[in-house]
Amino acid sequence: MMNVLLFGRLAEICGSNNYTFDLKDTDSVCDKLSEDFPEIKRLSFAVAVNQKLVVQNTELNDGDEVALMPPYSGG
Amino acid sequence: MTEEKKHKKVFVEGPITPIFIADSLAKHAAKHNIGAHSMFMGQVRADVKEDGQVVTGIEYEAYQEMAMETLHQIREDAFAKYSLTCMHIYHSLGLVKTGDISLFVFTSSVQRRAAIEACDYLVERIKREVQVWGKEILESGETVWKRPG
């Protein structure tokens, strides 16, 4: 199982900032959430696995932490 | 380096107060090799939205574990690039009302140029790279996710 963290507008749309999934890679996580919450397809966001940004589809292992992050807007 | 040392405290709950900022400055009085300080303070602005509603505050959230790693890297890069004596970064979490401070960057050096340039460099990188999100609270209580900027 992997813990999926959602931030900003993504968490608002998906109704939670935290989901637990059992999926093989990061694309599967994005596909699953897009199926359940089609609105997120219109948003751009970055993906991190265990606090490291990933730009390509990345294989996931048990216990991994995946984060889906809209553009940062701190400061 | 221990985790505690590596990750200096950055996130504070609520606004960064003028007293906190003054205290931070006062703490450097004993460091007699410093000849210049530079500070940046980001203040929550009462933006007016398209429908005429005014922003009354911003609520901040962060992916703290990742943000601390990112900040560590930014800090290392700044120390490598500029000749700094000290560097401090503070960012608010939770609600910060209009007029209050949500970001405080403070650099010190022997000569002024390094402090000024490093402060500017840090602010730009923090805004672009650190995993923080702000949600603007409007007069009606409605919320709008802040745009990167």
Side-chain angles (χ1 to χ4, degrees):
Chain A
M1 302 292 270
M2 49 276 325
N3 198 20
V4 178
L5 305 177
L6 301 164
F7 293 93
R9 220 176 140 204
L10 282 172
E12 203 168 75
I13 291 168
C14 298
S16 174
N17 55 16
N18 198 337
Y19 282 95
T20 304
F21 290 140
D22 190 7
L23 295 167
K24 65 179 186 346
D25 52 33
T26 51
D27 278 1
S28 307
V29 170
C30 296
D31 291 346
K32 164 81 179 132
L33 284 167
S34 302
E35 261 174 49
D36 294 350
F37 307 99
E39 207 183 326
I40 71 167
K41 285 183 201 161
R42 292 189 287 116
L43 301 181
S44 69
F45 54 87
V47 179
V49 176
N50 300 328
Q51 288 112 49
K52 296 268 182 285
L53 283 175
V54 297
V55 286
Q56 287 173 334
N57 188 24
T58 302
E59 194 185 321
L60 295 173
N61 297 301
D62 196 34
D64 280 349
E65 181 173 276
V66 181
L68 305 188
M69 306 179 291
Y72 315 134
S73 57
Chain B
M1 204 184 281
T2 65
E3 278 299 299
E4 209 171 316
K5 270 257 161 80
K6 183 179 162 191
H7 289 159
K8 288 176 67 172
K9 178 182 153 69
V10 170
F11 292 107
V12 295
E13 197 58 37
I16 297 158
T17 64
I19 289 173
F20 181 89
I21 292 165
D23 281 349
S24 301
L25 177 62
K27 281 178 188 155
H28 294 73
K31 297 187 179 178
H32 293 171
N33 55 332
I34 291 174
H37 298 297
S38 188
M39 288 184 175
F40 172 85
M41 285 147 285
Q43 175 166 306
V44 174
R45 189 175 53 226
D47 268 355
V48 181
K49 297 292 165 187
E50 280 167 20
D51 61 359
Q53 285 205 67
V54 178
V55 172
T56 61
I58 296 179
E59 191 156 342
Y60 291 97
E61 66 171 21
Y63 182 14
Q64 285 200 52
E65 297 86 347
M66 189 165 177
M68 293 310 281
E69 279 298 328
T70 306
L71 283 159
H72 173 67
Q73 190 57 54
I74 293 172
R75 200 181 266 120
E76 294 279 295
D77 291 349
F79 270 126
K81 196 170 159 73
Y82 303 98
S83 183
L84 293 174
T85 315
C86 281
M87 181 192 316
H88 302 276
I89 299 166
Y90 297 97
H91 198 298
S92 294
L93 290 181
L95 181 64
V96 181
K97 290 182 182 158
T98 300
D100 283 344
I101 302 299
S102 60
L103 172 62
F104 173 38
V105 178
F106 180 15
T107 51
S108 310
S109 56
V110 176
Q111 303 284 348
R112 69 182 179 283
R113 197 44 53 198
I116 293 168
E117 288 175 6
C119 189
D120 186 43
Y121 169 87
L122 286 166
V123 172
E124 293 304 316
R125 285 199 61 186
I126 290 163
K127 288 199 150 250
R128 209 167 47 233
E129 297 175 36
V130 179
Q131 289 74 22
V132 176
W133 296 270
K135 185 165 66 175
E136 295 171 322
I137 317 288
L138 308 181
E139 291 161 299
S140 64
E142 286 172 76
T143 59
V144 182
W145 287 100
K146 186 172 172 274
R147 287 172 188 277

